[in-house]
Amino acid sequence: MRAMLMQNINNRMTELRTVLHRSNVPERGREDVSFAMTLGKQGLAPPWPAGPQQATDWQIGQILQTLREADVCVLSPGAHAAVMAAASTLEPADVVTLDRDNDIHAPIGFVVLPEPVVLVNRGGGISDTVAFGWQFITQHQVLPTSTYPGVQLTTFMDRDGPVQPAEWRMVVAQARANDFPLPPFVPDGMYGLRGDRAAAEKTDADLAALNAEHRRLNQALNQVARPNTPSDVGGRRPHRGRQRRLRRPLHVRLLAPGLPRHHHHRTGRTPPKFPQPGCHHTGR
C-alpha cells in the first residue's frame, strides 16, 4: 500500500511539473507551486518533504488519524442514487462555494457507500471508489504565500470491488501470501478542498470563467498522463488521478449533512459488514 501511495504522489508531481513547465509560472517558483498544489492543498505546511518517501509517510499518518478519530457514516442505497443524480448536474465552480463549517456535519469523518462507484482514471483506465475520509485542515499555498481553511479528502477503493484486472488480483494475492493482506478499503488518493466559500460572491461570468480554466487545466493534465503505461503495482492504476469533474461534485454531496438512516442490502450480494446507515461516533 505504501508503494501505491508513493507512486500516486510521483505521478501527480510529474504531471504538474510538466504542465507548469509549459505555463507562465516563473521557473524558480514551479517546484514550490507543484508542492503547494498537491501537499499544500492537503494540509502540509512548508518546508516541503525531501522526497516521495517522506511525503508518503505524512499521508499515511493523516489517513491513520482520520480512521482513528472519524465519525463513520454509511450512505443508504436510496440516498446514494440521489447523490449520483445531483453530482451529475454540478460544474467544477460549484465546489468553490463549499463552506466547511456549514456544509459538512463533522470536522473529521468517514463515509461508506452502499456499493462502489466506477470512475475513469486520468490515464484512461478504470477503478472504483467505495469510501471517503475527510478532516478539516489549513491549506498552504505559494505565489502569493497564503493559508486557507480547507478539507483534506482521502478516497478509498474496494479491494474486492468490480474492477479486478489480473494484475490487481496478483497484488492482492501476493500481499496475502506475505502475511500483509490489503485492507478491504484501500487508500486511493488524497486531495484538498478549499472550505471558506471562496467564490460565494463571484458573478455568473466569474464562475463560467473558472469552469473554463478548470477544463483547460484538466485537459493539459490528461495530455500529460500516459494511458498506455501500466501501473507498477497493478492493472487497476489506482494512482492515476481521476477526473476531478467526476470526483469532486460527488464527494462534496456525500459530505453534506442529513444522511438517511434506513438500512438495505443489494440483492444477490453478500451483505457488507458495514455499520448501519447513518453516522456513528467512533473515536472522539
Side-chain angles (χ1 to χ4, degrees):
M1 191 168 66
R2 181 185 298 271
M4 293 166 60
L5 291 173
M6 191 180 307
Q7 186 68 38
N8 198 353
I9 292 173
N10 277 332
N11 287 338
R12 180 64 174 162
M13 291 293 291
T14 298
E15 291 168 1
L16 282 172
R17 286 166 178 153
T18 303
V19 170
L20 289 171
H21 180 71
R22 303 170 183 171
S23 73
N24 58 3
V25 175
E27 183 174 356
R28 63 181 180 180
R30 290 172 188 166
E31 193 69 2
D32 258 356
V33 171
S34 296
F35 277 109
M37 291 178 69
T38 51
L39 301 176
K41 292 185 72 172
Q42 296 167 17
L44 180 62
W48 309 120
Q53 177 67 57
Q54 291 78 8
T56 302
D57 289 343
W58 176 80
Q59 284 191 337
I60 290 174
Q62 295 293 295
I63 293 168
L64 292 175
Q65 178 176 316
T66 297
L67 294 176
R68 280 194 305 265
E69 301 183 14
D71 288 340
V72 178
C73 301
V74 181
L75 204 65
S76 71
H80 186 226
V83 165
M84 294 302 296
S88 67
T89 69
L90 297 182
E91 291 283 352
D94 295 320
V95 179
V96 296
T97 63
L98 175 67
D99 181 349
R100 70 179 192 181
D101 295 323
N102 292 314
D103 294 338
I104 302 178
H105 78 278
I108 184 166
F110 193 83
V111 166
V112 181
L113 307 183
E115 61 183 1
V117 176
V118 177
L119 298 176
V120 178
N121 296 330
R122 191 180 301 285
I126 61 173
S127 57
D128 55 70
T129 293
V130 73
F132 300 86
W134 75 87
Q135 60 180 318
F136 289 1
I137 47 93
T138 298
Q139 294 187 320
H140 299 269
Q141 294 298 288
V142 297
L143 298 179
T145 300
S146 53
T147 58
Y148 306 104
V151 180
Q152 178 196 95
L153 179 81
T154 303
T155 60
F156 294 79
M157 60 186 176
D158 187 346
R159 179 193 63 195
D160 306 313
V163 182
Q164 291 289 319
E167 294 90 343
W168 176 251
R169 294 196 299 271
M170 185 183 302
V171 169
V172 173
Q174 186 64 51
R176 187 176 293 116
N178 291 336
D179 294 325
F180 289 101
L182 294 178
F185 297 165
V186 181
D188 184 20
M190 185 177 289
Y191 305 86
L193 299 171
R194 190 163 168 177
D196 59 351
R197 301 179 75 243
E201 306 303 323
K202 290 187 178 296
T203 66
D204 289 344
D206 292 333
L207 295 177
L210 186 59
N211 282 328
E213 180 182 357
H214 181 278
R215 293 190 188 97
R216 285 193 296 270
L217 175 60
N218 207 39
Q219 184 178 32
L221 290 171
N222 287 341
Q223 290 172 348
V224 172
R226 295 166 295 174
N228 296 321
T229 301
S231 165
D232 293 339
V233 295
R236 299 186 78 176
R237 286 188 285 184
H239 52 279
R240 290 290 182 196
R242 297 190 182 99
Q243 303 280 4
R244 287 192 180 182
R245 69 179 176 85
L246 296 176
R247 178 192 297 276
R248 283 192 168 183
L250 172 62
H251 68 240
V252 168
R253 290 295 186 182
L254 288 174
L255 299 188
L259 298 176
R261 298 175 180 270
H262 62 277
H263 188 56
H264 174 74
H265 289 311
R266 283 170 286 157
T267 304
R269 294 284 302 270
T270 301
K273 296 180 180 179
F274 297 157
Q276 296 291 314
C279 297
H280 310 267
H281 181 72
T282 59
R284 302 183 73 217

